[in-house]
Amino acid sequence: MCNKNQKSSWIILLSLALAVTSTTFGQSDEKDIHVGLKGGVSIPNLVGDGAEEITRDYKSRFTYNFGGFVDLGLTRRLSIQTEVNYAPQGGKRDGIQPITQVIPGLPVLPAGSYFYANFKNTAKLEYIEVPVLLKYTWRRENGPHFYVNGGPYAGFLIKATQVTRGTSTIYLNKTGTPLLLPPAGTPIPPLSFDADTDVTDSLNRFNFGLTGGGGIKFPIGKNYFFVDARAAYGLRTLQKNTATDGKSKTGDLIISVGYAFKIKGR
């Protein structure tokens, strides 16, 4: 559920999107204007620097994506579509991986060095994103229409949570060499890694990138139903402190369905 700050962000971004599109293309009275809603599944991932152990080996996770849009016709086939979407990002990593939190009783390692443990780790990043897409549609007299679209997007980070689960002993490396305690040389007893850690303040609030794809529209009178597939890639590094937290960028695949209502046009 959205909290008060999330609702305020939605209202501000939606108002901005409507103002931009209305001001820029308000003179095209004879062209079609549609407004609509859409939602679907999202498969985001974190794309890390392959040289950095702390951001390596994240896999895609499944979540959802939904929002609203305004589709403003420029010509019979060309239009501008501005959206406001709730767009979760992130990724997951399971198995033996670096420990980023401080474990009491363990020595402090030099920067770039880590102890390891075997647990589940999911990065959940909640964004409001505003794509502005140029859309080209192949219209047919009868039957569905096909289209391609693409353009930039801007994102505002609402909240970021690192969810970890599992119990593990501590290892010296990724291959699972146990960390032994002197003087008997026994492994450290298993520790719980169950935690939901708010990491919002460690990430940049604003993100931007490129998105594009295509889909199919099914006319229903003056309105239309559609199925859309799209990929997106963030161009800004997420972490504020890249020296200690590494470098990651967002990547995403979205498959959605929606319905658009014609509110103006011929």
Side-chain angles (χ1 to χ4, degrees):
M1 297 180 65
C2 295
N3 57 32
K4 185 176 181 181
N5 291 333
Q6 291 173 324
K7 291 178 180 178
S8 298
S9 298
W10 270 91
I11 293 172
I12 292 171
L13 288 174
L14 181 58
S15 299
L16 178 61
L18 291 174
V20 169
T21 52
S22 298
T23 301
T24 306
F25 303 104
Q27 302 301 318
S28 300
D29 295 334
E30 75 282 9
K31 306 305 179 185
D32 293 345
I33 301 178
H34 290 81
V35 297
L37 298 172
K38 67 186 189 71
V41 296
S42 175
I43 310 174
N45 194 10
L46 293 177
V47 183
D49 187 334
E52 298 173 327
E53 184 68 29
I54 194 173
T55 59
R56 193 185 301 164
D57 297 330
Y58 273 91
K59 307 298 182 183
S60 298
R61 71 186 189 97
F62 286 90
T63 181
Y64 53 90
N65 182 295
F66 63 86
F69 63 91
V70 178
D71 187 2
L72 287 159
L74 302 179
T75 68
R76 186 172 180 272
R77 293 188 176 184
L78 199 62
S79 65
I80 290 284
Q81 183 164 307
T82 304
E83 304 176 356
V84 179
N85 300 321
Y86 174 71
Q89 302 287 347
K92 64 180 182 180
R93 180 169 61 181
D94 299 339
I96 298 179
Q97 57 191 286
I99 302 173
T100 56
Q101 64 265 47
V102 176
I103 304 296
L106 296 184
V108 177
L109 296 176
S113 299
Y114 306 96
F115 291 112
Y116 292 76
N118 189 345
F119 59 97
K120 296 182 179 180
N121 179 10
T122 303
K124 297 183 176 182
L125 283 59
E126 301 177 47
Y127 279 92
I128 292 177
E129 291 182 351
V130 180
V132 179
L133 307 172
L134 184 65
K135 182 163 70 172
Y136 184 87
T137 302
W138 287 271
R139 293 178 178 268
R140 302 169 62 191
E141 293 299 327
N142 297 300
H145 306 326
F146 298 90
Y147 66 86
V148 293
N149 55 31
Y153 73 86
F156 176 77
L157 179 65
I158 304 171
K159 186 178 181 180
T161 307
Q162 185 179 22
V163 179
T164 54
R165 297 289 186 269
T167 302
S168 174
T169 188
I170 307 301
Y171 302 111
L172 289 172
N173 49 46
K174 194 174 181 179
T175 60
T177 303
L179 174 63
L180 303 180
L181 294 175
T186 57
I188 293 177
L191 302 176
S192 173
F193 287 87
D194 292 353
D196 293 0
T197 306
D198 189 335
V199 294
T200 308
D201 291 339
S202 67
L203 303 180
N204 292 308
R205 285 284 183 162
F206 289 94
N207 191 19
F208 58 89
L210 298 173
T211 183
I216 182 170
K217 300 195 299 187
F218 301 90
I220 304 176
K222 295 182 178 181
N223 308 326
Y224 65 83
F225 171 82
F226 66 92
V227 180
D228 185 277
R230 190 182 305 172
Y233 182 72
L235 299 178
R236 188 181 189 191
T237 298
L238 299 177
Q239 293 84 351
K240 290 181 180 178
N241 189 341
T242 57
T244 59
D245 297 335
K247 299 177 182 178
S248 298
K249 294 180 180 178
T250 57
D252 202 6
L253 174 65
I254 304 164
I255 301 174
S256 58
V257 298
Y259 194 87
F261 300 87
K262 186 174 182 178
I263 63 171
K264 196 172 183 180
R266 293 173 293 183

